[in-house]
Amino acid sequence: MNKYKIQTLNNISPKGLGRFPLERYEVASDLSEPDGLVLRSASLHGMAIPPSLKAVGRAGAGTNNIPVAEMSSRGVAVFNAPGANANAVKELVVTGMLLAARNIIAAWDFVHGLDGDADTMGQAVEAGKKQFKGFELPGRTLGVVGLGAIGVKVANVAQDLGMQVIGYDPAITVGNAWQLDASVEQAHTVEELLSRSDFVSLHVPLIDATRGLINADRLKLMKTGATLLNFSRAPIVDETAVLQALEQGGLHRYVCDFPTPEARGRAGVIALPHLGASTQEAEDNCAVMVADQLRDYLETGNVRNSVNFPEAVLPMTDGAARLAVANRNVPNMVGQISTVLAQRGLNIADLLNKSRGDLAYTLVDVDGELPDAVLDELRGIDGVLSVRAIDH
Ligand SMILES: NC(=O)C1=CN([C@@H]2O[C@H](COP(=O)(O)OP(=O)(O)OC[C@H]3O[C@@H](n4cnc5c(N)ncnc54)[C@H](O)[C@@H]3O)[C@@H](O)[C@H]2O)C=CC1
Ligand SMILES: O=C(O)CCC(=O)C(=O)O
């Protein structure tokens, strides 16, 4: 049996990579003809996609670094690790609110600039500290844009800290709505949320609809002295407009995880080096989750937590050979697939067909073996994107 080849494009937690058994997998950062890629923030945009590729595992949440539509058109499944780093981001958002509220960065810099003996330093501390007087969180309003895995955790912890919380997410899932503290209030528009919040925290994916979500016009709606936190992605915020709002005194702080040359060192900007998911726990959780999902997909064809393929789980039929076909979601694809199998005298023992948007996915267990000629014939059907016999 051939080994599956997994290429890593970033440092991936050994705990996750350890889920690929050595007798069935070769895992390396440098190998040819990979079956699967595992990555964090490495960009696949513009990269040549090897024809051998069957699956991509994003050990994290955001998939804007992956050309998902192109992967779909090649029948390549893309997986991520929903929620696996959400607690890490939540903790950094709370840190960000406190850094902003208590003027910690400026105070820290002030202490670094002190010199002299203990008495001199003590006097400077007591004289200087008044410039860093902050404010407390209870009673302040936090607006959370995007109530997914991270947004819900941020909303709930802020509620626990005594804050008023309002949230905006027109596509909140039922599962996330169940997780949300009942006291979190719904904002009906981004504008309403911005105008009512002392802190605004963004937790949306970078997609066309969220690019530039926070622009000059919307910044004008924010309360004077409010703080904006962006732990989502840089382009969700119009940074030029944010820097202007800081300079004009409308905005108190901009806390973000995405430093740029323009923002670095500017008054009011607290920029961190994309640290949201950088905890041992989150790195382990993400790597383990995507490794398990990739293994399941490669070894059984089952799909869990894909961002482009439908969820598809079919127990393996004993003694059967499994076929996995990704195709365009158009009529008569299952009919054509089963006709080819019937013409080749292959009996279908079990079948699952699921669709998601423009893509459909079919798992077929057939009695006996699946000759290569059958796979080639299936690949020739108009609308078929990828065909795989599961090697088990
Ligand atoms: N700084 C860091 O290290 C990290 C950053 N992230 C970023 O955070 C984003 C969110 O992560 P998760 O919460 O795990 O994702 P998620 O998919 O669980 O939640 C995203 C939520 O945003 C909502 N949404 C989408 N468009 C919206 C819009 N226009 N207005 C309001 N809500 C909208 C969705 O309905 C969904 O509920 C990721 O896509 C990624 O870009 C995620 C993890 C780590
Ligand atoms: O892997 C990382 O550190 C980045 C995490 C992230 O941005 C994400 O999960 O979307």
Side-chain angles (χ1 to χ4, degrees):
M1 189 182 289
N2 287 335
K3 282 189 176 184
Y4 293 111
K5 292 192 198 176
I6 303 291
Q7 185 176 16
T8 55
L9 301 184
N10 293 105
N11 282 330
I12 304 295
S13 145
K15 199 163 172 183
L17 297 183
R19 310 286 277 210
F20 295 111
L22 292 176
E23 59 279 13
R24 287 208 79 180
Y25 287 85
E26 183 185 347
V27 182
S29 57
D30 186 17
L31 49 71
S32 61
E33 301 184 344
D35 297 289
L37 297 178
V38 180
L39 67 151
R40 287 174 62 178
S41 297
S43 177
L44 294 187
H45 292 285
M47 255 183 69
I49 307 299
S52 58
L53 191 66
K54 298 166 185 66
V56 176
R58 196 317 187 187
T63 51
N64 56 298
N65 53 331
I66 300 167
V68 177
E70 188 189 342
M71 294 299 171
S72 301
S73 71
R74 291 163 176 261
V76 173
V78 180
F79 297 88
N80 71 348
N85 56 23
N87 188 67
V89 180
K90 172 200 85 179
E91 290 185 4
L92 205 58
V93 170
V94 172
T95 308
M97 284 199 288
L98 292 168
L99 288 176
R102 302 300 296 272
N103 298 311
I104 304 291
I105 305 294
W108 180 289
D109 284 345
F110 167 75
V111 170
H112 272 268
L114 295 177
D115 54 16
D117 61 18
D119 277 351
T120 316
M121 202 174 280
Q123 280 165 20
V125 162
E126 291 311 319
K129 72 179 186 186
K130 57 180 171 295
Q131 54 188 309
F132 307 115
K133 186 171 78 185
F135 59 89
E136 299 181 23
L137 301 184
R140 307 271 165 177
T141 298
L142 168 68
V144 182
V145 183
L147 293 164
I150 299 169
V152 165
K153 283 192 179 325
V154 168
N156 290 351
V157 76
Q159 199 77 51
D160 292 345
L161 288 169
M163 300 181 79
Q164 313 281 335
V165 184
I166 54 179
Y168 173 73
D169 188 335
I172 188 171
T173 64
V174 174
N176 282 328
W178 272 107
Q179 299 295 319
L180 200 58
D181 188 301
S183 321
V184 175
E185 214 187 307
Q186 182 188 3
H188 293 92
T189 60
V190 184
E191 285 76 13
E192 179 195 342
L193 180 142
L194 292 173
S195 62
R196 291 178 55 194
S197 302
D198 300 298
F199 292 87
V200 172
S201 197
L202 308 173
H203 300 292
V204 294
L206 176 60
I207 49 175
D208 288 346
T210 59
R211 194 175 285 275
L213 182 78
I214 304 299
N215 57 22
D217 287 342
R218 285 186 165 151
L219 282 164
K220 287 189 193 123
L221 301 173
M222 290 181 72
K223 287 184 180 178
T224 300
T227 288
L228 177 65
L229 300 113
N230 178 11
F231 285 85
S232 283
R233 286 292 181 263
I236 290 167
V237 163
D238 175 347
E239 191 183 81
T240 308
V242 164
L243 293 177
Q244 205 169 17
L246 285 168
E247 209 169 284
Q248 292 168 352
L251 204 57
H252 169 61
R253 295 282 181 267
Y254 176 51
V255 187
C256 73
D257 215 6
F258 312 100
T260 62
E262 292 72 30
R264 191 176 68 93
R266 291 283 289 266
V269 174
I270 299 174
L272 301 171
H274 198 176
L275 276 188
S278 291
T279 64
Q280 192 61 55
E281 293 86 344
E283 291 182 3
D284 288 349
N285 290 343
C286 289
V288 166
M289 195 186 272
V290 287
D292 287 352
Q293 290 162 183
L294 277 189
R295 265 197 77 181
D296 201 15
Y297 181 68
L298 291 173
E299 294 175 28
T300 71
N302 287 338
V303 178
R304 290 186 174 90
N305 291 333
S306 171
V307 298
N308 60 342
F309 273 41
E311 202 83 350
V313 178
L314 180 70
M316 299 287 263
T317 310
D318 277 348
R322 175 163 287 190
L323 179 70
V325 181
N327 54 266
R328 290 210 313 269
N329 187 16
V330 292
N332 198 30
M333 294 305 294
V334 175
Q336 292 184 80
I337 293 167
S338 45
T339 300
V340 169
L341 296 175
Q343 282 168 349
R344 297 280 183 159
L346 289 164
N347 182 51
I348 295 178
D350 207 352
L351 183 145
L352 178 77
N353 173 257
K354 296 275 186 168
S355 65
R356 178 175 183 177
D358 292 339
L359 195 139
Y361 183 63
T362 307
L363 290 172
V364 193
D365 285 353
V366 297
D367 294 327
E369 293 299 308
L370 273 167
D372 286 346
V374 173
L375 304 181
D376 287 340
E377 195 174 341
L378 290 167
R379 287 185 186 109
I381 298 174
D382 186 31
V384 165
L385 306 170
S386 67
V387 175
R388 204 156 60 90
I390 306 292
D391 201 9
H392 65 101

